[in-house]
Amino acid sequence: MRIGTTLFFIFTAGTLLAASCGSGEDNAIVTPSLTATDDGAVPARVVEAPSTGGVPTFTMSAYQGEDILGGTTGIKSSEWMGRGRPVILYFWYADCNPCGNMALMLQKFYEANQVQALVVGVDVGPLIGEKDARLYLREQQITYPVGTIDGGKASLEEIVGFPTTLFISDQGELIRRQVGFLDWKTLLAFASEMSPGVRIVDAAPTGPGERIPDQGRDHVEPGEGHPAYNSVPGASGWHYGHPLAPADWGVYEEVLPDEVLMHNLEHGGIGVHYNCPEACQELVARLREIVTRARSEGKKVLMSPYRGMDTRIALTAWTFMDRFDEFDDQRIARFINAHESSLNAPEPFVR
């Protein structure tokens, strides 16, 4: 994939910088006015509607969703905006890692809310030809309408970074503009502002397991103090950044710091933990078998011993936990299947 020429009609040479965490998390390709943190991540920036101007106007060619957009080429944005249904308008390109993660988040939103709201992706790259574009969307299982810009480039001058997401009311009014990756809860909150009479559906799982209050996802340095986690093991909260965390997925025989484990959970991973004051080789072997099978299926699962638990087994996901003493393979499988890459996690599509 490559960045196509359209991008350079929007920005002059030298105005873009890439800020990367190395894992594709909530960083963005931005102008220098957005400042990266020490680990390279660019915090998401929200610009309120009064300072952003109006909704950009442009024409586009469709990669998919021609029936919704009303054509294949020369499609005017005014033909599908402000027509009684709120629109999430998403500007991106394929070589931008946070763009890809955001595109997958919007797919989950679209699956749950396509009757209430329209999602349209605008590739400013563009991808290398229509064939490659369709292949990319099929591989990523993205089904909402997506196309590339034909004209109206001058109207996109306020797209100052990627990804950029516009939240537009059912009357075609710009409600909010977001630069950078959005987690699921923030996406729902912004979508609910577009048209207050439209009920937005939350597709994040509510179980199984006990829900643990969210303690945020602040980064800390080794040796830096922070408040206590509100569960044992933790299920959200303070954690190390790169390169100290997250840990590779798989089976560990040594105890891992909470500050490492929380970064794995932030990425939609599952923690499988055991506490055996006395030897429990059989339990460890059975847990290892489940985790190894989950890893062979591509699931993000980590197993390690954990001291101080009040049960022999604990399963953790971001803001969820299940604790029990007797091995139960079906119970473990249900938890993994429900919460792995769950929308409750801040960055569920980062591998």
Side-chain angles (χ1 to χ4, degrees), residues 24-302:
E25 55 182 46
D26 58 343
N27 49 317
I29 307 302
V30 297
T31 61
S33 59
L34 296 184
T35 303
T37 58
D38 290 341
D39 68 353
V42 176
R45 185 191 71 162
V46 176
V47 182
E48 301 298 334
S51 65
T52 61
V55 176
T57 58
F58 53 91
T59 60
M60 64 186 294
S61 295
Y63 297 153
Q64 63 185 26
E66 295 91 338
D67 55 331
I68 297 174
L69 298 175
T72 302
T73 60
I75 307 165
K76 295 180 180 179
S77 58
S78 59
E79 294 178 354
W80 43 265
M81 282 194 287
R83 299 301 178 93
R85 182 162 57 156
V87 176
I88 296 179
L89 186 58
Y90 178 60
F91 294 90
W92 66 294
Y93 64 92
D95 284 346
C96 161
N97 283 338
C99 295
N101 291 329
M102 187 67 197
L104 294 173
M105 186 77 70
L106 287 171
Q107 174 62 28
K108 296 298 184 182
F109 177 88
Y110 184 65
E111 291 171 3
N113 292 280
Q114 57 186 295
V115 174
Q116 300 94 311
L118 178 62
V119 176
V120 177
V122 181
D123 168 26
V124 300
L127 293 165
I128 307 174
E130 181 179 338
K131 180 180 179 181
D132 286 324
R134 293 180 185 275
L135 176 62
Y136 176 88
L137 295 170
R138 185 166 62 250
E139 288 176 344
Q140 299 300 317
Q141 299 182 344
I142 293 171
T143 61
Y144 52 80
V146 178
T148 189
I149 296 173
D150 289 335
K153 303 176 186 65
S155 68
L156 303 182
E157 291 176 354
E158 293 190 25
I159 307 300
V160 297
F162 296 98
T164 287
T165 309
L166 306 186
F167 296 84
I168 301 166
S169 76
D170 54 358
Q171 301 301 310
E173 299 172 329
L174 180 61
I175 303 302
R176 188 181 288 270
R177 179 185 306 247
Q178 166 77 26
V179 177
F181 180 82
L182 281 168
D183 63 39
W184 178 252
K185 290 192 290 187
T186 306
L187 173 62
L188 290 183
F190 290 175
S192 298
E193 297 175 350
M194 295 189 296
S195 297
V198 175
R199 178 179 174 272
I200 299 299
V201 176
D202 185 352
T206 58
E210 174 190 1
R211 187 184 286 273
I212 308 296
D214 194 331
Q215 291 189 288
R217 52 184 182 133
D218 290 343
H219 280 193
V220 293
E221 297 294 331
E224 180 181 351
H226 60 75
Y229 295 106
N230 57 5
S231 63
V232 179
S236 67
W238 303 267
H239 59 273
Y240 299 149
H242 296 282
L244 299 175
D248 292 336
W249 306 109
V251 176
Y252 292 82
E253 296 182 358
E254 68 275 14
V255 174
L256 298 178
D258 284 304
E259 292 82 0
V260 170
L261 296 173
M262 292 313 105
H263 203 147
N264 286 80
L265 300 188
E266 182 187 31
H267 288 182
I270 303 296
V272 177
H273 303 293
Y274 58 91
N275 182 31
C276 299
E278 300 177 358
C280 55
Q281 289 91 339
E282 181 181 355
L283 172 62
V284 172
R286 298 177 79 178
L287 292 174
R288 180 191 295 267
E289 181 180 354
I290 287 183
V291 171
T292 301
R293 183 169 64 246
R295 288 293 302 130
S296 71
E297 297 169 353
K299 291 185 170 65
K300 297 177 290 190
V301 183
L302 179 152

Side-chain angles (χ1 to χ4, degrees), residues 3-17:
I3 303 173
T5 55
T6 306
L7 182 62
F8 298 100
F9 283 101
I10 304 173
F11 300 104
T12 58
T15 60
L16 293 179
L17 68 88

